[in-house]
Each structure stands twice: as structure tokens, then as C-alpha cells.
Amino acid sequence: MSKLLKYLLISLLFILFFSCNNYSPADSDKSAFLNDLKKRTFLYFWELADKPTGQIPDRYPSRNFTSIAATGFGLTSYLVGIQNNYITREEGAKRILYALNWLWQSKQGPEASGITCYKGFYYHFLTYGDGVRYRDVELSTIDTGLLMAGILSCQSYFEGDNEIEKKIRNLADSLYLRVEWDWAMNGQECMSMGWFPERGFLQSQWTGYNEAMILIIIALGSPTHPIHDSAWASWCRNYQWSEFYGQEHINFSPLFGHQYSHMFIDFRGIRDPYMTEKGIDYFENSRRATYSNRDYGIDNPSGFNGYDHNIWGLTACDGPGDIKLPFEIDSIQFWGYRARGASNLEIVDDGTLAPTAAGGSIPFAPEICIDALLSMKNNFGDSLFNKYGFKDAFNLSFHPDKKTEPGWFDKDYIGIDQGPILIQLENWQTGLIRDIMKKNKYIVSGLKKAGFQGGWLETLIK
């Protein structure tokens, strides 16, 4: 047999083998990338937790304070770590038990300083080491809600009969039942966003569609301090349904508002009265919001540098700074940390994009979100993708010094933006966290009180 014939035969067998196995080098590259991204992002929560308190940093390498919302995401991330064999079940359980113990025993009271918690709610940010209120931040309802979501995920995951798993379940129960959700309503139809010991409740309330959907459901489900059953109808009253870039949906500009609640609750196939009338569910709503965010980026009405079909994503994130600079024939007002986004409600766009916008939306639209993340990693390399996965944000239109190339890349990772990437990637791959939470009686109770019906919830009810 000639060398040419041998070569052709081997080539044919190679093609047939990989065709029969539906092998694609591009798919292999994506799979390797996603697995690498997942482990790197997990390590943010595992390696950086504050040792004395078990709380998760708000950001890194900057070290100012820990974040109770990031801690909620961190507790859930440990479950991802166990399932992916990054850590053992025993290692994860010990870390979680330590954090829950610390939360339970932390300092409580109405005082303005030296306190961690009051009426079951935790201050938005806590100091490293002793874990008390950072400066004059508020007692935060949404951040406590996200913390409790993480705590309840641990309660439902650890079902073992051994002593450590029993303690986790009992502590999770105690922490959740201690929260006085009804107090935070402040006698109103909708929950206050927070409370200060110096001046009382914030006038701003959680109403209309945003990231607090999980908060309202958790508060409805409490057997000790529930909010009134009409709270969900009051929450829905200010929804803004309209078309944006070809997608009819409940509008909310930053993508994180379409992601956070879905990290913990599977909204596929279950509907409240509002969504029953619209003929879709909240999962489909988030899919549409993701596409409209991407299509806005493709259109790029302000002409920012770098936007295209794979480089997009507006959500709350860091920015290059509060400064106004010339751009093209006009100027741009750049911002630092801000809730960027695009919808019919508001457009907040200074050219700053955040990987978590696409990362947190993977379950809704993997066909566009995964390509976006991979493109960002391939295009920007170590400037954007490093030890703990994606840095928080970047802006290719920021050009403060004409002697240098344009472009700003954040130096920090941010915990509440890392969490959606990790948890939503796992939810897309295995459904882990959403399935765990289907077993939690408090989540199920909250959904039923809000009027959700159908799908997996109907099966559980029967």
C-alpha cells in the first residue's frame, strides 16, 4: 500500500471516528474553558474567606470589608465545589458549619457600632476580623435575603445523619427563623430596602421587578415572621412590560436583576398570576432580557469601542472612575461602580462591560453567553481573565492619556459578580442548586403564597 493511500485511509478513519462521536474541536475548547472558569471562580470563595468570621470579601485584591450577599453566594459555592470534587464533602461541611456558627453567635442589637446583626438582619458590609458593621452602612434587607438563600441551600443539601450535617440543618433553620421579615415591612405594603440605627427605615421600598424577587419569596415562606400574603401582588403592581430591541418582557435595565433569583429558584414552567396572563414564565422573561441586552450592545448606539455580537453585557459593576473625557466628537461621563444597563426604563452605558452579565445568564441563553465569555477571555487574556476567573469589568473607550492605548481593565474581582458566574454555570450544566432548592419547604411555601402554580411546583403539591 502506497504512503499516499495509507495517509488517505487514516484521514478517512479519523474523520469517521469523530463524526460518529459528534466531536467538535470548538465544543471541546468551550468545555475545557467552562470547566477552568468554574474552578477558578470557586477558588475565589474558597481561598479568600475571612478566617476569623467565615465571611466572603466584597472584592479582591482590594480588601475593605466583607459582604453578606457574597457570603450567601459563597455558602452555595461550597456545594458546587463538593459536587465537582474540588473539595471533599467533609471539608465543605466544616467550612459551612463554621460560617453558620459565627453568624448565629455574632453580635446583635440596635446600637450603631460594634454590631453585626439586628432582628435577624445583617449589615450590608462587615469588617474583617471581628465582623461588625462597616462604618455607617445599612442593615440590608436584600443582602440578608441573599445570605438566607445561601443558608437555605446548605440546609437542603446536607441531608446526612451524621452530627455535622444535622448541626448545619439546625443552624440554618435557626438563622432563617430568627429574621423578622414582618418588621422590615415598616407597616407598608412593600418591604423597606434597609434600616439605620441612627435614623430608622429607608423610604425606598422593594417594588416592581428587580433582584429582590428571591427576598419576597423567602419572606413569604417564613413560619415565624412572614410578611402578609398580599405582598407579592403589591410587588408586581409596578412591573413595566414593554418591548426593547424586539423582546417583549418585564423591563429592568441591569442584567443582575434578571439573574439573582434564578440562581436559587427554578422558574421554568411555574407562573404567578401576572405571568399566567402574559403567557410566559420568569425564566423566559430573563431569556428575553438577555437577548435585548446583547442586541443593544450590537447596535451600540453611542459608538463605544469594542462592542460586537460577542463582546457585550451591561449590569452593575465597577467602572474606570467618575470623570468626563472627550470621546469621538463629544465627551463621555464615565462612572465608578454603578448599575449599568439598558431597557425602556433607563439606559446607563458608559462603555463599561462586565463578564458577569453574560456569565449569570448562561442558563437562559447559553448559545450567546458562552461565546461571549470565551471571546472576552481570548481577546483580552490576562488583563481580564486570571487567577480567580474574570476580573469584574473593562472599558475599551476609556482613554485618559492620549499617549497610551485606550482601555481600562479592573484590577478587582467582586464577590456578588463572581457568584452568578459560578452558580449559574453549574445550574446550566447540572441544575444542582435549583434542584436542591425545590426540596426546601420554606421556598415552596413562599412560592405557593405568592400564587405560583404549575410545573415542578404542582408535582410537589400533589
Side-chain angles (χ1 to χ4, degrees):
M1 186 182 291
S2 69
K3 289 184 179 179
L4 177 60
L5 187 57
K6 282 183 178 179
Y7 174 79
L8 291 173
L9 181 58
I10 291 171
S11 298
L12 178 60
L13 290 172
F14 183 85
I15 292 169
L16 286 172
F17 174 80
F18 285 114
S19 296
C20 291
N21 287 277
N22 297 315
Y23 176 82
S24 165
D27 289 342
S28 179
D29 288 346
K30 287 180 183 178
S31 179
F33 160 67
L34 292 175
N35 289 334
D36 182 45
L37 170 63
K38 187 160 68 171
K39 185 167 186 180
R40 287 174 187 251
T41 310
F42 163 78
L43 290 174
Y44 175 92
F45 297 100
W46 185 251
E47 293 185 350
L48 300 179
D50 183 42
K51 290 183 179 179
T53 66
Q55 305 305 292
I56 300 299
D58 173 66
R59 59 177 62 230
Y60 178 85
S62 297
R63 277 176 55 91
N64 301 317
F65 37 76
T66 65
S67 158
I68 59 163
T71 297
F73 294 167
L75 291 169
T76 303
S77 80
Y78 300 153
L79 311 183
V80 176
I82 293 168
Q83 289 298 113
N84 286 272
N85 297 314
Y86 304 150
I87 55 175
T88 66
R89 188 179 184 94
E90 183 179 9
E91 286 174 325
K94 285 182 176 179
R95 176 73 67 88
I96 289 165
L97 181 60
Y98 182 88
L100 297 187
N101 259 320
W102 184 88
L103 286 165
W104 179 250
Q105 296 171 9
S106 59
K107 299 174 183 177
Q108 297 188 73
E111 295 83 6
S113 62
I115 298 295
T116 302
C117 175
Y118 180 52
K119 292 186 178 291
F121 290 92
Y122 289 82
Y123 282 102
H124 194 156
F125 299 127
L126 303 176
T127 57
Y128 277 98
D130 53 1
V132 296
R133 181 192 189 193
Y134 179 79
R135 295 185 179 175
D136 59 353
V137 299
E138 84 284 8
L139 201 71
S140 175
T141 52
I142 181 58
D143 293 271
T144 297
L146 294 171
L147 173 64
M148 291 299 149
I151 288 172
L152 293 180
S153 72
C154 295
Q155 180 187 51
S156 293
Y157 180 82
F158 289 103
E159 300 177 301
D161 290 331
N162 60 72
E163 197 62 28
I164 189 170
E165 297 200 14
K166 287 179 181 178
K167 286 181 178 179
I168 288 172
R169 292 197 298 274
N170 291 336
L171 271 171
D173 214 49
S174 296
L175 285 161
Y176 171 67
L177 296 179
R178 182 170 69 176
V179 185
E180 297 184 29
W181 308 103
D182 50 348
W183 169 77
M185 298 296 287
N186 191 29
Q188 306 298 311
E189 291 186 356
C190 297
M191 188 179 294
S192 171
M193 289 188 175
W195 178 88
F196 292 91
E198 298 88 355
R199 56 183 183 276
F201 284 104
L202 283 165
Q203 294 303 305
S204 301
Q205 298 176 341
W206 291 112
T207 179
Y209 183 79
N210 52 48
E211 72 273 23
M213 186 157 57
I214 182 71
L215 167 65
I216 307 305
I217 290 168
I218 285 178
L220 281 167
S222 172
T224 52
H225 298 282
I227 59 178
H228 46 78
D229 289 355
S230 62
W232 188 260
S234 299
W235 155 266
C236 295
R237 192 170 297 141
N238 291 320
Y239 279 5
Q240 299 295 317
W241 177 275
S242 62
E243 181 182 318
F244 186 72
Y245 277 84
Q247 303 290 337
E248 278 195 296
H249 63 293
I250 307 171
N251 278 222
F252 183 73
S253 297
L255 274 182
F256 79 92
H258 299 277
Q259 298 169 350
Y260 278 11
S261 299
H262 295 259
M263 293 163 62
F264 300 98
I265 299 178
D266 188 353
F267 286 100
R268 294 173 299 176
I270 64 172
R271 299 176 182 177
D272 64 356
Y274 184 94
M275 282 305 196
T276 298
E277 183 181 334
K278 293 299 182 183
I280 66 170
D281 56 34
Y282 284 100
F283 185 91
E284 170 63 17
N285 195 80
S286 290
R287 188 194 70 81
R288 295 181 183 186
T290 300
Y291 263 93
S292 69
N293 193 292
R294 192 280 301 259
D295 291 345
Y296 168 87
I298 293 173
D299 185 37
N300 189 16
S302 297
F304 292 122
N305 296 335
Y307 287 30
D308 66 25
H309 67 289
N310 276 338
I311 306 294
W312 54 274
L314 297 178
T315 192
C317 66
D318 269 353
D322 294 305
I323 184 173
K324 194 167 188 176
L325 294 173
F327 179 73
E328 302 295 342
I329 60 173
D330 200 352
S331 61
I332 300 177
Q333 175 61 58
F334 294 98
W335 302 292
Y337 189 90
R338 183 153 181 182
R340 296 164 173 83
S343 76
N344 275 332
L345 297 180
E346 183 182 30
I347 293 176
V348 180
D349 182 13
D350 66 346
T352 302
L353 301 177
T356 192
S361 286
I362 287 177
F364 313 131
E367 66 279 5
I368 61 173
C369 292
I370 294 171
D371 285 344
L373 293 173
L374 186 56
S375 294
M376 291 178 201
K377 189 253 186 183
N378 288 341
N379 284 341
F380 307 121
D382 291 347
S383 296
L384 187 63
F385 188 83
N386 216 287
K387 182 177 181 179
Y388 296 119
F390 283 105
K391 300 291 184 67
D392 194 57
F394 64 100
N395 189 317
L396 301 182
S397 299
F398 187 70
H399 191 181
D401 182 355
K402 293 186 180 297
K403 295 179 182 179
T404 62
E405 290 296 317
W408 167 85
F409 290 86
D410 202 353
K411 71 178 188 304
D412 279 338
Y413 307 88
I414 294 184
I416 59 171
D417 290 343
Q418 294 286 86
I421 295 173
L422 175 65
I423 295 169
Q424 289 286 68
L425 177 52
E426 186 65 33
N427 274 331
W428 175 68
Q429 290 178 326
T430 70
L432 176 67
I433 305 306
R434 293 183 308 209
D435 288 344
I436 287 169
M437 297 299 266
K438 290 176 184 177
K439 298 185 291 185
N440 192 278
K441 62 183 180 181
Y442 302 129
I443 294 294
V444 171
S445 175
L447 287 167
K448 290 167 62 177
K449 286 185 177 181
F452 281 88
Q453 294 180 344
W456 64 266
L457 188 60
E458 198 69 26
T459 302
L460 288 180
I461 292 171
K462 291 178 182 178

